[in-house]
mmCIF file with all atom_site columns, all heavy atoms in Angstrom:
data_model
loop_
_atom_site.group_PDB
_atom_site.id
_atom_site.type_symbol
_atom_site.label_atom_id
_atom_site.label_alt_id
_atom_site.label_comp_id
_atom_site.label_asym_id
_atom_site.label_entity_id
_atom_site.label_seq_id
_atom_site.pdbx_PDB_ins_code
_atom_site.Cartn_x
_atom_site.Cartn_y
_atom_site.Cartn_z
_atom_site.occupancy
_atom_site.B_iso_or_equiv
_atom_site.pdbx_formal_charge
_atom_site.auth_seq_id
_atom_site.auth_comp_id
_atom_site.auth_asym_id
_atom_site.auth_atom_id
_atom_site.pdbx_PDB_model_num
ATOM 1   N N   . LEU A 1 1  ? 14.722 56.078 72.631 1.00 97.00 ? 1  LEU A N   1
ATOM 2   C CA  . LEU A 1 1  ? 16.059 56.059 72.038 1.00 97.00 ? 1  LEU A CA  1
ATOM 3   C C   . LEU A 1 1  ? 16.254 57.236 71.084 1.00 97.00 ? 1  LEU A C   1
ATOM 4   O O   . LEU A 1 1  ? 17.286 57.911 71.123 1.00 97.00 ? 1  LEU A O   1
ATOM 5   C CB  . LEU A 1 1  ? 16.304 54.736 71.319 1.00 97.00 ? 1  LEU A CB  1
ATOM 6   C CG  . LEU A 1 1  ? 17.640 54.581 70.608 1.00 97.00 ? 1  LEU A CG  1
ATOM 7   C CD1 . LEU A 1 1  ? 18.805 54.719 71.574 1.00 97.00 ? 1  LEU A CD1 1
ATOM 8   C CD2 . LEU A 1 1  ? 17.696 53.249 69.879 1.00 97.00 ? 1  LEU A CD2 1
ATOM 9   N N   . LYS A 1 2  ? 15.269 57.506 70.250 1.00 97.00 ? 2  LYS A N   1
ATOM 10  C CA  . LYS A 1 2  ? 15.366 58.636 69.315 1.00 97.00 ? 2  LYS A CA  1
ATOM 11  C C   . LYS A 1 2  ? 15.510 59.961 70.058 1.00 97.00 ? 2  LYS A C   1
ATOM 12  O O   . LYS A 1 2  ? 16.284 60.825 69.646 1.00 97.00 ? 2  LYS A O   1
ATOM 13  C CB  . LYS A 1 2  ? 14.137 58.673 68.400 1.00 97.00 ? 2  LYS A CB  1
ATOM 14  C CG  . LYS A 1 2  ? 14.142 57.610 67.341 1.00 97.00 ? 2  LYS A CG  1
ATOM 15  C CD  . LYS A 1 2  ? 12.885 57.677 66.504 1.00 97.00 ? 2  LYS A CD  1
ATOM 16  C CE  . LYS A 1 2  ? 12.814 56.496 65.555 1.00 97.00 ? 2  LYS A CE  1
ATOM 17  N NZ  . LYS A 1 2  ? 11.561 56.481 64.787 1.00 97.00 ? 2  LYS A NZ  1
ATOM 18  N N   . LYS A 1 3  ? 14.759 60.128 71.137 1.00 96.00 ? 3  LYS A N   1
ATOM 19  C CA  . LYS A 1 3  ? 14.827 61.358 71.920 1.00 96.00 ? 3  LYS A CA  1
ATOM 20  C C   . LYS A 1 3  ? 16.223 61.550 72.508 1.00 96.00 ? 3  LYS A C   1
ATOM 21  O O   . LYS A 1 3  ? 16.798 62.635 72.437 1.00 96.00 ? 3  LYS A O   1
ATOM 22  C CB  . LYS A 1 3  ? 13.778 61.312 73.032 1.00 96.00 ? 3  LYS A CB  1
ATOM 23  C CG  . LYS A 1 3  ? 13.755 62.515 73.904 1.00 96.00 ? 3  LYS A CG  1
ATOM 24  C CD  . LYS A 1 3  ? 13.200 63.703 73.178 1.00 96.00 ? 3  LYS A CD  1
ATOM 25  C CE  . LYS A 1 3  ? 12.959 64.840 74.128 1.00 96.00 ? 3  LYS A CE  1
ATOM 26  N NZ  . LYS A 1 3  ? 12.310 65.961 73.506 1.00 96.00 ? 3  LYS A NZ  1
ATOM 27  N N   . VAL A 1 4  ? 16.789 60.488 73.062 1.00 97.00 ? 4  VAL A N   1
ATOM 28  C CA  . VAL A 1 4  ? 18.129 60.558 73.649 1.00 97.00 ? 4  VAL A CA  1
ATOM 29  C C   . VAL A 1 4  ? 19.164 60.876 72.571 1.00 97.00 ? 4  VAL A C   1
ATOM 30  O O   . VAL A 1 4  ? 20.045 61.720 72.771 1.00 97.00 ? 4  VAL A O   1
ATOM 31  C CB  . VAL A 1 4  ? 18.474 59.239 74.378 1.00 97.00 ? 4  VAL A CB  1
ATOM 32  C CG1 . VAL A 1 4  ? 19.936 59.166 74.746 1.00 97.00 ? 4  VAL A CG1 1
ATOM 33  C CG2 . VAL A 1 4  ? 17.608 59.086 75.620 1.00 97.00 ? 4  VAL A CG2 1
ATOM 34  N N   . ILE A 1 5  ? 19.056 60.246 71.413 1.00 97.00 ? 5  ILE A N   1
ATOM 35  C CA  . ILE A 1 5  ? 20.003 60.493 70.321 1.00 97.00 ? 5  ILE A CA  1
ATOM 36  C C   . ILE A 1 5  ? 19.873 61.919 69.805 1.00 97.00 ? 5  ILE A C   1
ATOM 37  O O   . ILE A 1 5  ? 20.874 62.566 69.488 1.00 97.00 ? 5  ILE A O   1
ATOM 38  C CB  . ILE A 1 5  ? 19.817 59.458 69.197 1.00 97.00 ? 5  ILE A CB  1
ATOM 39  C CG1 . ILE A 1 5  ? 20.309 58.089 69.679 1.00 97.00 ? 5  ILE A CG1 1
ATOM 40  C CG2 . ILE A 1 5  ? 20.553 59.870 67.930 1.00 97.00 ? 5  ILE A CG2 1
ATOM 41  C CD1 . ILE A 1 5  ? 20.015 56.952 68.739 1.00 97.00 ? 5  ILE A CD1 1
ATOM 42  N N   . ASN A 1 6  ? 18.640 62.434 69.712 1.00 97.00 ? 6  ASN A N   1
ATOM 43  C CA  . ASN A 1 6  ? 18.440 63.818 69.274 1.00 97.00 ? 6  ASN A CA  1
ATOM 44  C C   . ASN A 1 6  ? 19.101 64.819 70.215 1.00 97.00 ? 6  ASN A C   1
ATOM 45  O O   . ASN A 1 6  ? 19.616 65.840 69.778 1.00 97.00 ? 6  ASN A O   1
ATOM 46  C CB  . ASN A 1 6  ? 16.955 64.141 69.141 1.00 97.00 ? 6  ASN A CB  1
ATOM 47  C CG  . ASN A 1 6  ? 16.346 63.549 67.904 1.00 97.00 ? 6  ASN A CG  1
ATOM 48  O OD1 . ASN A 1 6  ? 17.050 63.211 66.955 1.00 97.00 ? 6  ASN A OD1 1
ATOM 49  N ND2 . ASN A 1 6  ? 15.043 63.395 67.904 1.00 97.00 ? 6  ASN A ND2 1
ATOM 50  N N   . ILE A 1 7  ? 19.082 64.525 71.500 1.00 96.00 ? 7  ILE A N   1
ATOM 51  C CA  . ILE A 1 7  ? 19.644 65.452 72.484 1.00 96.00 ? 7  ILE A CA  1
ATOM 52  C C   . ILE A 1 7  ? 21.156 65.295 72.617 1.00 96.00 ? 7  ILE A C   1
ATOM 53  O O   . ILE A 1 7  ? 21.893 66.281 72.618 1.00 96.00 ? 7  ILE A O   1
ATOM 54  C CB  . ILE A 1 7  ? 18.959 65.266 73.848 1.00 96.00 ? 7  ILE A CB  1
ATOM 55  C CG1 . ILE A 1 7  ? 17.490 65.690 73.755 1.00 96.00 ? 7  ILE A CG1 1
ATOM 56  C CG2 . ILE A 1 7  ? 19.671 66.063 74.933 1.00 96.00 ? 7  ILE A CG2 1
ATOM 57  C CD1 . ILE A 1 7  ? 16.672 65.380 74.980 1.00 96.00 ? 7  ILE A CD1 1
ATOM 58  N N   . LEU A 1 8  ? 21.630 64.057 72.712 1.00 96.00 ? 8  LEU A N   1
ATOM 59  C CA  . LEU A 1 8  ? 23.045 63.814 73.018 1.00 96.00 ? 8  LEU A CA  1
ATOM 60  C C   . LEU A 1 8  ? 23.894 63.380 71.828 1.00 96.00 ? 8  LEU A C   1
ATOM 61  O O   . LEU A 1 8  ? 25.108 63.356 71.931 1.00 96.00 ? 8  LEU A O   1
ATOM 62  C CB  . LEU A 1 8  ? 23.159 62.746 74.112 1.00 96.00 ? 8  LEU A CB  1
ATOM 63  C CG  . LEU A 1 8  ? 22.561 63.113 75.460 1.00 96.00 ? 8  LEU A CG  1
ATOM 64  C CD1 . LEU A 1 8  ? 22.652 61.941 76.413 1.00 96.00 ? 8  LEU A CD1 1
ATOM 65  C CD2 . LEU A 1 8  ? 23.260 64.327 76.035 1.00 96.00 ? 8  LEU A CD2 1
ATOM 66  N N   . GLY A 1 9  ? 23.270 63.015 70.735 1.00 96.00 ? 9  GLY A N   1
ATOM 67  C CA  . GLY A 1 9  ? 24.022 62.554 69.574 1.00 96.00 ? 9  GLY A CA  1
ATOM 68  C C   . GLY A 1 9  ? 24.067 61.042 69.485 1.00 96.00 ? 9  GLY A C   1
ATOM 69  O O   . GLY A 1 9  ? 23.685 60.325 70.405 1.00 96.00 ? 9  GLY A O   1
ATOM 70  N N   . ASP A 1 10 ? 24.562 60.559 68.364 1.00 96.00 ? 10 ASP A N   1
ATOM 71  C CA  . ASP A 1 10 ? 24.542 59.132 68.063 1.00 96.00 ? 10 ASP A CA  1
ATOM 72  C C   . ASP A 1 10 ? 25.414 58.303 69.004 1.00 96.00 ? 10 ASP A C   1
ATOM 73  O O   . ASP A 1 10 ? 25.168 57.115 69.197 1.00 96.00 ? 10 ASP A O   1
ATOM 74  C CB  . ASP A 1 10 ? 24.967 58.897 66.607 1.00 96.00 ? 10 ASP A CB  1
ATOM 75  C CG  . ASP A 1 10 ? 24.589 57.525 66.116 1.00 96.00 ? 10 ASP A CG  1
ATOM 76  O OD1 . ASP A 1 10 ? 23.420 57.138 66.305 1.00 96.00 ? 10 ASP A OD1 1
ATOM 77  O OD2 . ASP A 1 10 ? 25.477 56.835 65.561 1.00 96.00 ? 10 ASP A OD2 1
ATOM 78  N N   . GLU A 1 11 ? 26.426 58.908 69.599 1.00 95.00 ? 11 GLU A N   1
ATOM 79  C CA  . GLU A 1 11 ? 27.296 58.163 70.509 1.00 95.00 ? 11 GLU A CA  1
ATOM 80  C C   . GLU A 1 11 ? 26.558 57.707 71.767 1.00 95.00 ? 11 GLU A C   1
ATOM 81  O O   . GLU A 1 11 ? 27.006 56.796 72.468 1.00 95.00 ? 11 GLU A O   1
ATOM 82  C CB  . GLU A 1 11 ? 28.547 58.962 70.877 1.00 95.00 ? 11 GLU A CB  1
ATOM 83  C CG  . GLU A 1 11 ? 28.295 60.248 71.602 1.00 95.00 ? 11 GLU A CG  1
ATOM 84  C CD  . GLU A 1 11 ? 27.997 61.428 70.703 1.00 95.00 ? 11 GLU A CD  1
ATOM 85  O OE1 . GLU A 1 11 ? 28.035 61.295 69.465 1.00 95.00 ? 11 GLU A OE1 1
ATOM 86  O OE2 . GLU A 1 11 ? 27.705 62.490 71.256 1.00 95.00 ? 11 GLU A OE2 1
ATOM 87  N N   . ALA A 1 12 ? 25.427 58.307 72.071 1.00 96.00 ? 12 ALA A N   1
ATOM 88  C CA  . ALA A 1 12 ? 24.636 57.915 73.234 1.00 96.00 ? 12 ALA A CA  1
ATOM 89  C C   . ALA A 1 12 ? 23.965 56.555 73.033 1.00 96.00 ? 12 ALA A C   1
ATOM 90  O O   . ALA A 1 12 ? 23.571 55.909 74.006 1.00 96.00 ? 12 ALA A O   1
ATOM 91  C CB  . ALA A 1 12 ? 23.578 58.976 73.532 1.00 96.00 ? 12 ALA A CB  1
ATOM 92  N N   . ARG A 1 13 ? 23.865 56.111 71.799 1.00 96.00 ? 13 ARG A N   1
ATOM 93  C CA  . ARG A 1 13 ? 23.230 54.829 71.484 1.00 96.00 ? 13 ARG A CA  1
ATOM 94  C C   . ARG A 1 13 ? 23.920 53.667 72.214 1.00 96.00 ? 13 ARG A C   1
ATOM 95  O O   . ARG A 1 13 ? 23.270 52.718 72.636 1.00 96.00 ? 13 ARG A O   1
ATOM 96  C CB  . ARG A 1 13 ? 23.264 54.597 69.977 1.00 96.00 ? 13 ARG A CB  1
ATOM 97  C CG  . ARG A 1 13 ? 22.615 53.325 69.513 1.00 96.00 ? 13 ARG A CG  1
ATOM 98  C CD  . ARG A 1 13 ? 22.779 53.114 68.021 1.00 96.00 ? 13 ARG A CD  1
ATOM 99  N NE  . ARG A 1 13 ? 22.343 54.238 67.222 1.00 96.00 ? 13 ARG A NE  1
ATOM 100 C CZ  . ARG A 1 13 ? 21.124 54.350 66.697 1.00 96.00 ? 13 ARG A CZ  1
ATOM 101 N NH1 . ARG A 1 13 ? 20.236 53.408 66.899 1.00 96.00 ? 13 ARG A NH1 1
ATOM 102 N NH2 . ARG A 1 13 ? 20.815 55.405 65.971 1.00 96.00 ? 13 ARG A NH2 1
ATOM 103 N N   . VAL A 1 14 ? 25.228 53.753 72.378 1.00 96.00 ? 14 VAL A N   1
ATOM 104 C CA  . VAL A 1 14 ? 25.998 52.678 73.011 1.00 96.00 ? 14 VAL A CA  1
ATOM 105 C C   . VAL A 1 14 ? 25.625 52.516 74.480 1.00 96.00 ? 14 VAL A C   1
ATOM 106 O O   . VAL A 1 14 ? 25.475 51.398 74.979 1.00 96.00 ? 14 VAL A O   1
ATOM 107 C CB  . VAL A 1 14 ? 27.512 52.953 72.872 1.00 96.00 ? 14 VAL A CB  1
ATOM 108 C CG1 . VAL A 1 14 ? 28.324 51.935 73.634 1.00 96.00 ? 14 VAL A CG1 1
ATOM 109 C CG2 . VAL A 1 14 ? 27.915 52.986 71.419 1.00 96.00 ? 14 VAL A CG2 1
ATOM 110 N N   . ASN A 1 15 ? 25.445 53.607 75.186 1.00 97.00 ? 15 ASN A N   1
ATOM 111 C CA  . ASN A 1 15 ? 25.169 53.561 76.622 1.00 97.00 ? 15 ASN A CA  1
ATOM 112 C C   . ASN A 1 15 ? 23.687 53.554 76.977 1.00 97.00 ? 15 ASN A C   1
ATOM 113 O O   . ASN A 1 15 ? 23.340 53.428 78.156 1.00 97.00 ? 15 ASN A O   1
ATOM 114 C CB  . ASN A 1 15 ? 25.852 54.732 77.325 1.00 97.00 ? 15 ASN A CB  1
ATOM 115 C CG  . ASN A 1 15 ? 27.340 54.536 77.390 1.00 97.00 ? 15 ASN A CG  1
ATOM 116 O OD1 . ASN A 1 15 ? 27.819 53.435 77.598 1.00 97.00 ? 15 ASN A OD1 1
ATOM 117 N ND2 . ASN A 1 15 ? 28.081 55.610 77.192 1.00 97.00 ? 15 ASN A ND2 1
ATOM 118 N N   . PHE A 1 16 ? 22.822 53.682 75.997 1.00 97.00 ? 16 PHE A N   1
ATOM 119 C CA  . PHE A 1 16 ? 21.386 53.726 76.242 1.00 97.00 ? 16 PHE A CA  1
ATOM 120 C C   . PHE A 1 16 ? 20.876 52.487 76.992 1.00 97.00 ? 16 PHE A C   1
ATOM 121 O O   . PHE A 1 16 ? 20.178 52.625 78.009 1.00 97.00 ? 16 PHE A O   1
ATOM 122 C CB  . PHE A 1 16 ? 20.632 53.925 74.926 1.00 97.00 ? 16 PHE A CB  1
ATOM 123 C CG  . PHE A 1 16 ? 19.145 54.002 75.071 1.00 97.00 ? 16 PHE A CG  1
ATOM 124 C CD1 . PHE A 1 16 ? 18.548 55.128 75.604 1.00 97.00 ? 16 PHE A CD1 1
ATOM 125 C CD2 . PHE A 1 16 ? 18.342 52.945 74.678 1.00 97.00 ? 16 PHE A CD2 1
ATOM 126 C CE1 . PHE A 1 16 ? 17.164 55.202 75.746 1.00 97.00 ? 16 PHE A CE1 1
ATOM 127 C CE2 . PHE A 1 16 ? 16.967 53.012 74.814 1.00 97.00 ? 16 PHE A CE2 1
ATOM 128 C CZ  . PHE A 1 16 ? 16.381 54.145 75.343 1.00 97.00 ? 16 PHE A CZ  1
ATOM 129 N N   . PRO A 1 17 ? 21.211 51.269 76.557 1.00 97.00 ? 17 PRO A N   1
ATOM 130 C CA  . PRO A 1 17 ? 20.725 50.087 77.301 1.00 97.00 ? 17 PRO A CA  1
ATOM 131 C C   . PRO A 1 17 ? 21.252 50.031 78.736 1.00 97.00 ? 17 PRO A C   1
ATOM 132 O O   . PRO A 1 17 ? 20.541 49.593 79.645 1.00 97.00 ? 17 PRO A O   1
ATOM 133 C CB  . PRO A 1 17 ? 21.249 48.894 76.496 1.00 97.00 ? 17 PRO A CB  1
ATOM 134 C CG  . PRO A 1 17 ? 21.601 49.428 75.170 1.00 97.00 ? 17 PRO A CG  1
ATOM 135 C CD  . PRO A 1 17 ? 21.936 50.875 75.362 1.00 97.00 ? 17 PRO A CD  1
ATOM 136 N N   . TYR A 1 18 ? 22.478 50.493 78.948 1.00 97.00 ? 18 TYR A N   1
ATOM 137 C CA  . TYR A 1 18 ? 23.043 50.505 80.296 1.00 97.00 ? 18 TYR A CA  1
ATOM 138 C C   . TYR A 1 18 ? 22.304 51.490 81.199 1.00 97.00 ? 18 TYR A C   1
ATOM 139 O O   . TYR A 1 18 ? 22.092 51.219 82.387 1.00 97.00 ? 18 TYR A O   1
ATOM 140 C CB  . TYR A 1 18 ? 24.531 50.839 80.254 1.00 97.00 ? 18 TYR A CB  1
ATOM 141 C CG  . TYR A 1 18 ? 25.336 49.839 79.471 1.00 97.00 ? 18 TYR A CG  1
ATOM 142 C CD1 . TYR A 1 18 ? 25.972 50.214 78.294 1.00 97.00 ? 18 TYR A CD1 1
ATOM 143 C CD2 . TYR A 1 18 ? 25.437 48.514 79.881 1.00 97.00 ? 18 TYR A CD2 1
ATOM 144 C CE1 . TYR A 1 18 ? 26.701 49.298 77.555 1.00 97.00 ? 18 TYR A CE1 1
ATOM 145 C CE2 . TYR A 1 18 ? 26.166 47.593 79.150 1.00 97.00 ? 18 TYR A CE2 1
ATOM 146 C CZ  . TYR A 1 18 ? 26.796 47.983 77.990 1.00 97.00 ? 18 TYR A CZ  1
ATOM 147 O OH  . TYR A 1 18 ? 27.508 47.073 77.265 1.00 97.00 ? 18 TYR A OH  1
ATOM 148 N N   . ALA A 1 19 ? 21.907 52.612 80.641 1.00 97.00 ? 19 ALA A N   1
ATOM 149 C CA  . ALA A 1 19 ? 21.136 53.598 81.407 1.00 97.00 ? 19 ALA A CA  1
ATOM 150 C C   . ALA A 1 19 ? 19.767 53.033 81.778 1.00 97.00 ? 19 ALA A C   1
ATOM 151 O O   . ALA A 1 19 ? 19.295 53.228 82.901 1.00 97.00 ? 19 ALA A O   1
ATOM 152 C CB  . ALA A 1 19 ? 20.992 54.892 80.610 1.00 97.00 ? 19 ALA A CB  1
ATOM 153 N N   . LEU A 1 20 ? 19.136 52.325 80.854 1.00 97.00 ? 20 LEU A N   1
ATOM 154 C CA  . LEU A 1 20 ? 17.855 51.689 81.154 1.00 97.00 ? 20 LEU A CA  1
ATOM 155 C C   . LEU A 1 20 ? 18.014 50.641 82.254 1.00 97.00 ? 20 LEU A C   1
ATOM 156 O O   . LEU A 1 20 ? 17.199 50.577 83.183 1.00 97.00 ? 20 LEU A O   1
ATOM 157 C CB  . LEU A 1 20 ? 17.265 51.033 79.904 1.00 97.00 ? 20 LEU A CB  1
ATOM 158 C CG  . LEU A 1 20 ? 16.681 51.966 78.860 1.00 97.00 ? 20 LEU A CG  1
ATOM 159 C CD1 . LEU A 1 20 ? 16.299 51.181 77.620 1.00 97.00 ? 20 LEU A CD1 1
ATOM 160 C CD2 . LEU A 1 20 ? 15.480 52.717 79.410 1.00 97.00 ? 20 LEU A CD2 1
ATOM 161 N N   . ASN A 1 21 ? 19.040 49.825 82.161 1.00 96.00 ? 21 ASN A N   1
ATOM 162 C CA  . ASN A 1 21 ? 19.295 48.811 83.192 1.00 96.00 ? 21 ASN A CA  1
ATOM 163 C C   . ASN A 1 21 ? 19.538 49.458 84.551 1.00 96.00 ? 21 ASN A C   1
ATOM 164 O O   . ASN A 1 21 ? 19.042 48.979 85.576 1.00 96.00 ? 21 ASN A O   1
ATOM 165 C CB  . ASN A 1 21 ? 20.493 47.944 82.816 1.00 96.00 ? 21 ASN A CB  1
ATOM 166 C CG  . ASN A 1 21 ? 20.176 46.984 81.705 1.00 96.00 ? 21 ASN A CG  1
ATOM 167 O OD1 . ASN A 1 21 ? 19.027 46.646 81.470 1.00 96.00 ? 21 ASN A OD1 1
ATOM 168 N ND2 . ASN A 1 21 ? 21.208 46.557 81.003 1.00 96.00 ? 21 ASN A ND2 1
ATOM 169 N N   . PHE A 1 22 ? 20.304 50.528 84.553 1.00 97.00 ? 22 PHE A N   1
ATOM 170 C CA  . PHE A 1 22 ? 20.600 51.275 85.777 1.00 97.00 ? 22 PHE A CA  1
ATOM 171 C C   . PHE A 1 22 ? 19.312 51.744 86.443 1.00 97.00 ? 22 PHE A C   1
ATOM 172 O O   . PHE A 1 22 ? 19.097 51.536 87.644 1.00 97.00 ? 22 PHE A O   1
ATOM 173 C CB  . PHE A 1 22 ? 21.517 52.444 85.424 1.00 97.00 ? 22 PHE A CB  1
ATOM 174 C CG  . PHE A 1 22 ? 21.823 53.370 86.551 1.00 97.00 ? 22 PHE A CG  1
ATOM 175 C CD1 . PHE A 1 22 ? 22.619 52.971 87.612 1.00 97.00 ? 22 PHE A CD1 1
ATOM 176 C CD2 . PHE A 1 22 ? 21.329 54.670 86.554 1.00 97.00 ? 22 PHE A CD2 1
ATOM 177 C CE1 . PHE A 1 22 ? 22.907 53.830 88.657 1.00 97.00 ? 22 PHE A CE1 1
ATOM 178 C CE2 . PHE A 1 22 ? 21.609 55.537 87.588 1.00 97.00 ? 22 PHE A CE2 1
ATOM 179 C CZ  . PHE A 1 22 ? 22.402 55.116 88.647 1.00 97.00 ? 22 PHE A CZ  1
ATOM 180 N N   . LEU A 1 23 ? 18.429 52.358 85.669 1.00 97.00 ? 23 LEU A N   1
ATOM 181 C CA  . LEU A 1 23 ? 17.169 52.867 86.216 1.00 97.00 ? 23 LEU A CA  1
ATOM 182 C C   . LEU A 1 23 ? 16.249 51.733 86.657 1.00 97.00 ? 23 LEU A C   1
ATOM 183 O O   . LEU A 1 23 ? 15.549 51.844 87.667 1.00 97.00 ? 23 LEU A O   1
ATOM 184 C CB  . LEU A 1 23 ? 16.476 53.753 85.187 1.00 97.00 ? 23 LEU A CB  1
ATOM 185 C CG  . LEU A 1 23 ? 17.176 55.072 84.889 1.00 97.00 ? 23 LEU A CG  1
ATOM 186 C CD1 . LEU A 1 23 ? 16.518 55.773 83.716 1.00 97.00 ? 23 LEU A CD1 1
ATOM 187 C CD2 . LEU A 1 23 ? 17.195 55.957 86.118 1.00 97.00 ? 23 LEU A CD2 1
ATOM 188 N N   . TYR A 1 24 ? 16.257 50.639 85.914 1.00 96.00 ? 24 TYR A N   1
ATOM 189 C CA  . TYR A 1 24 ? 15.437 49.483 86.282 1.00 96.00 ? 24 TYR A CA  1
ATOM 190 C C   . TYR A 1 24 ? 15.904 48.892 87.607 1.00 96.00 ? 24 TYR A C   1
ATOM 191 O O   . TYR A 1 24 ? 15.101 48.576 88.484 1.00 96.00 ? 24 TYR A O   1
ATOM 192 C CB  . TYR A 1 24 ? 15.487 48.437 85.172 1.00 96.00 ? 24 TYR A CB  1
ATOM 193 C CG  . TYR A 1 24 ? 14.623 47.233 85.450 1.00 96.00 ? 24 TYR A CG  1
ATOM 194 C CD1 . TYR A 1 24 ? 13.249 47.272 85.233 1.00 96.00 ? 24 TYR A CD1 1
ATOM 195 C CD2 . TYR A 1 24 ? 15.174 46.063 85.946 1.00 96.00 ? 24 TYR A CD2 1
ATOM 196 C CE1 . TYR A 1 24 ? 12.453 46.180 85.502 1.00 96.00 ? 24 TYR A CE1 1
ATOM 197 C CE2 . TYR A 1 24 ? 14.388 44.961 86.212 1.00 96.00 ? 24 TYR A CE2 1
ATOM 198 C CZ  . TYR A 1 24 ? 13.027 45.017 85.990 1.00 96.00 ? 24 TYR A CZ  1
ATOM 199 O OH  . TYR A 1 24 ? 12.234 43.933 86.259 1.00 96.00 ? 24 TYR A OH  1
ATOM 200 N N   . LEU A 1 25 ? 17.208 48.758 87.765 1.00 96.00 ? 25 LEU A N   1
ATOM 201 C CA  . LEU A 1 25 ? 17.752 48.201 89.006 1.00 96.00 ? 25 LEU A CA  1
ATOM 202 C C   . LEU A 1 25 ? 17.518 49.110 90.205 1.00 96.00 ? 25 LEU A C   1
ATOM 203 O O   . LEU A 1 25 ? 17.384 48.637 91.327 1.00 96.00 ? 25 LEU A O   1
ATOM 204 C CB  . LEU A 1 25 ? 19.249 47.917 88.849 1.00 96.00 ? 25 LEU A CB  1
ATOM 205 C CG  . LEU A 1 25 ? 19.590 46.757 87.917 1.00 96.00 ? 25 LEU A CG  1
ATOM 206 C CD1 . LEU A 1 25 ? 21.087 46.689 87.689 1.00 96.00 ? 25 LEU A CD1 1
ATOM 207 C CD2 . LEU A 1 25 ? 19.059 45.446 88.470 1.00 96.00 ? 25 LEU A CD2 1
ATOM 208 N N   . LEU A 1 26 ? 17.441 50.410 89.962 1.00 96.00 ? 26 LEU A N   1
ATOM 209 C CA  . LEU A 1 26 ? 17.130 51.360 91.038 1.00 96.00 ? 26 LEU A CA  1
ATOM 210 C C   . LEU A 1 26 ? 15.638 51.403 91.356 1.00 96.00 ? 26 LEU A C   1
ATOM 211 O O   . LEU A 1 26 ? 15.219 52.079 92.294 1.00 96.00 ? 26 LEU A O   1
ATOM 212 C CB  . LEU A 1 26 ? 17.605 52.763 90.658 1.00 96.00 ? 26 LEU A CB  1
ATOM 213 C CG  . LEU A 1 26 ? 19.102 53.000 90.663 1.00 96.00 ? 26 LEU A CG  1
ATOM 214 C CD1 . LEU A 1 26 ? 19.415 54.407 90.169 1.00 96.00 ? 26 LEU A CD1 1
ATOM 215 C CD2 . LEU A 1 26 ? 19.677 52.788 92.052 1.00 96.00 ? 26 LEU A CD2 1
ATOM 216 N N   . GLY A 1 27 ? 14.823 50.719 90.544 1.00 96.00 ? 27 GLY A N   1
ATOM 217 C CA  . GLY A 1 27 ? 13.385 50.706 90.765 1.00 96.00 ? 27 GLY A CA  1
ATOM 218 C C   . GLY A 1 27 ? 12.690 51.964 90.295 1.00 96.00 ? 27 GLY A C   1
ATOM 219 O O   . GLY A 1 27 ? 11.644 52.324 90.813 1.00 96.00 ? 27 GLY A O   1
ATOM 220 N N   . LYS A 1 28 ? 13.263 52.635 89.300 1.00 96.00 ? 28 LYS A N   1
ATOM 221 C CA  . LYS A 1 28 ? 12.697 53.890 88.809 1.00 96.00 ? 28 LYS A CA  1
ATOM 222 C C   . LYS A 1 28 ? 11.775 53.707 87.607 1.00 96.00 ? 28 LYS A C   1
ATOM 223 O O   . LYS A 1 28 ? 11.040 54.620 87.244 1.00 96.00 ? 28 LYS A O   1
ATOM 224 C CB  . LYS A 1 28 ? 13.805 54.867 88.428 1.00 96.00 ? 28 LYS A CB  1
ATOM 225 C CG  . LYS A 1 28 ? 14.688 55.273 89.579 1.00 96.00 ? 28 LYS A CG  1
ATOM 226 C CD  . LYS A 1 28 ? 13.906 56.053 90.589 1.00 96.00 ? 28 LYS A CD  1
ATOM 227 C CE  . LYS A 1 28 ? 14.764 56.517 91.735 1.00 96.00 ? 28 LYS A CE  1
ATOM 228 N NZ  . LYS A 1 28 ? 13.993 57.225 92.742 1.00 96.00 ? 28 LYS A NZ  1
ATOM 229 N N   . LEU A 1 29 ? 11.824 52.537 86.954 1.00 95.00 ? 29 LEU A N   1
ATOM 230 C CA  . LEU A 1 29 ? 10.961 52.314 85.795 1.00 95.00 ? 29 LEU A CA  1
ATOM 231 C C   . LEU A 1 29 ? 10.581 50.850 85.694 1.00 95.00 ? 29 LEU A C   1
ATOM 232 O O   . LEU A 1 29 ? 11.211 49.977 86.277 1.00 95.00 ? 29 LEU A O   1
ATOM 233 C CB  . LEU A 1 29 ? 11.617 52.796 84.502 1.00 95.00 ? 29 LEU A CB  1
ATOM 234 C CG  . LEU A 1 29 ? 12.972 52.243 84.071 1.00 95.00 ? 29 LEU A CG  1
ATOM 235 C CD1 . LEU A 1 29 ? 12.836 50.946 83.324 1.00 95.00 ? 29 LEU A CD1 1
ATOM 236 C CD2 . LEU A 1 29 ? 13.667 53.259 83.201 1.00 95.00 ? 29 LEU A CD2 1
ATOM 237 N N   . THR A 1 30 ? 9.504  50.610 84.951 1.00 96.00 ? 30 THR A N   1
ATOM 238 C CA  . THR A 1 30 ? 9.068  49.254 84.633 1.00 96.00 ? 30 THR A CA  1
ATOM 239 C C   . THR A 1 30 ? 8.995  49.105 83.128 1.00 96.00 ? 30 THR A C   1
ATOM 240 O O   . THR A 1 30 ? 8.867  50.096 82.397 1.00 96.00 ? 30 THR A O   1
ATOM 241 C CB  . THR A 1 30 ? 7.682  48.932 85.226 1.00 96.00 ? 30 THR A CB  1
ATOM 242 O OG1 . THR A 1 30 ? 6.725  49.828 84.683 1.00 96.00 ? 30 THR A OG1 1
ATOM 243 C CG2 . THR A 1 30 ? 7.690  49.011 86.724 1.00 96.00 ? 30 THR A CG2 1
#
């Protein structure tokens, strides 16, 4: 989360969980 916020800014915090869910559903992470 800190890495994403450092790169994209604090507004990325809102969509961070959705991005994780997206990747999990695609089978890209555990």
Side-chain angles (χ1 to χ4, degrees):
L1 178 60
K2 286 178 187 176
K3 180 71 170 185
V4 168
I5 289 172
N6 284 340
I7 294 172
L8 297 176
D10 197 49
E11 62 275 357
R13 181 184 307 266
V14 174
N15 288 321
F16 181 73
Y18 299 115
L20 286 173
N21 287 338
F22 175 69
L23 292 172
Y24 182 80
L25 290 172
L26 288 176
K28 298 295 182 182
L29 57 84
T30 61

